[in-house]
Amino acid sequence: MCGLRDARKLCSVEALELDTLATYWSDALDAAENSLAEVSRSRRAFRLSATELHDRLVGLRLERGAAELDLELLARTAHVELHHHVRSRTESAGISGLSR
């Protein structure tokens, strides 16, 4: 039979797995955001319009928000606390104020 100790251990494993998943998502989305920041510095060389760059940045922010909500819902469903979030670690000042 599983005791309280076993249940706590299982919950900590589930929380660790969710935090690991959140870290992977966060790292991938940060890499995409960093790539957009680099592209914004040389967008003419890449033949990328300000509108397209803006749309890609908005899409990335929407994806980050959706991933955050999904992980929070999964944590609530599993009755564990999510310690790592998918929020942006860097403010991409170079592209966040990009005009259309």
Side-chain angles (χ1 to χ4, degrees):
M1 294 208 101
C2 289
L4 182 59
R5 185 176 178 186
D6 291 334
R8 285 184 184 150
K9 185 176 180 181
L10 180 61
C11 284
S12 70
V13 169
E14 288 173 345
L16 178 62
E17 290 172 354
L18 274 180
D19 285 337
T20 300
L21 182 60
T23 299
Y24 289 151
W25 267 107
S26 185
D27 289 348
L29 292 168
D30 285 346
E33 191 172 343
N34 291 340
S35 294
L36 285 175
E38 287 299 317
V39 167
S40 74
R41 291 180 191 77
S42 307
R43 67 180 172 84
R44 289 181 193 214
F46 289 103
R47 296 181 181 189
L48 197 63
S49 71
T51 301
E52 185 175 353
L53 183 60
H54 178 266
D55 290 348
R56 288 177 186 235
L57 180 61
V58 168
L60 179 61
R61 287 182 181 153
L62 290 173
E63 184 175 352
R64 188 182 294 275
E68 178 71 18
L69 290 174
D70 287 345
L71 286 169
E72 288 173 357
L73 179 62
L74 188 55
R76 277 194 304 271
T77 301
H79 304 290
V80 297
E81 186 176 345
L82 183 63
H83 297 102
H84 187 89
H85 297 274
V86 187
R87 295 180 192 110
S88 178
R89 291 185 202 145
T90 60
E91 287 296 320
S92 298
I95 56 177
S96 62
L98 187 64
S99 62
R100 291 188 113 195

